[in-house]
Amino acid sequence: MKTSTFKEELSGRFGWKLGASQESKDRLYLNPEPEIFEDLLDAVYEEKDGRLATISCVDEDDHFELLYHIALDRSGIMVTIKQSVEKGDNPSTESIANDIPGAEWIEREIREMFGIEFEGNPARKRLLKAESLGDKDYPFRKDFKEEDLEGN
């Protein structure tokens, strides 16, 4: 399947709510409206037999951008679904770990490094963050300052 064919299929189903997209021969980037995120993820992951490759996070000036990378191995396509999360005091979004168990550790890492809470993630234990970092120290955020740490 070509990315353009797959995009047309999704556009027929989700219409304008699919949002802006970019595509190349083997990559498709989607920026959907928030209300269809879960259904779109299901359409790509479950219905097309996708595999969660990873979730990445980008600290933008006024929000975080979560990028869910789903590999469609049979088609040779990588689909990236973007989700914006407002920064605020307690940034949060719904966890996908109950539907896609492989997301559990990735969400935990993003929580520790960026401070985004994944509501419904079953694991609460610290995963990677050094003990010297406090609960409110998020080392991958743009505003993180190493000199604010104790002992520096």
Side-chain angles (χ1 to χ4, degrees), residues 112 126 129-139 144 149:
E112 289 181 14
R126 199 175 254 211
K129 199 157 80 168
E131 293 299 323
S132 61
L133 293 172
D135 289 340
K136 297 291 183 182
D137 292 324
Y138 304 112
F144 178 76
L149 294 174

Side-chain angles (χ1 to χ4, degrees), residues 9-10 14 21 26 30-31 33 39-40 51 58 72 86 89 103 105 109 112 120 124 131 145 152:
E9 180 184 327
L10 293 171
F14 295 104
S21 64
D26 58 356
L30 303 170
N31 195 8
E33 293 294 314
D39 291 335
L40 178 59
R51 174 179 55 83
V58 179
L72 304 180
E86 290 184 31
D89 291 335
W105 280 46
E109 178 182 5
E112 289 181 14
R124 307 302 313 155
E131 293 299 323
K145 293 178 179 54
N152 283 342

Side-chain angles (χ1 to χ4, degrees), residues 49-90:
D49 198 26
R51 174 179 55 83
L52 178 66
T54 194
I55 305 167
S56 51
C57 183
V58 179
D59 183 352
E60 300 290 354
D61 291 330
D62 60 345
H63 68 283
F64 295 105
E65 195 77 49
L66 291 173
L67 304 150
Y68 294 78
H69 306 281
I70 310 295
L72 304 180
D73 294 327
R74 291 183 184 154
S75 304
I77 297 172
M78 179 69 75
V79 179
T80 298
I81 303 172
K82 298 179 182 182
Q83 182 186 42
S84 183
V85 177
E86 290 184 31
K87 281 192 173 177
D89 291 335
N90 298 301

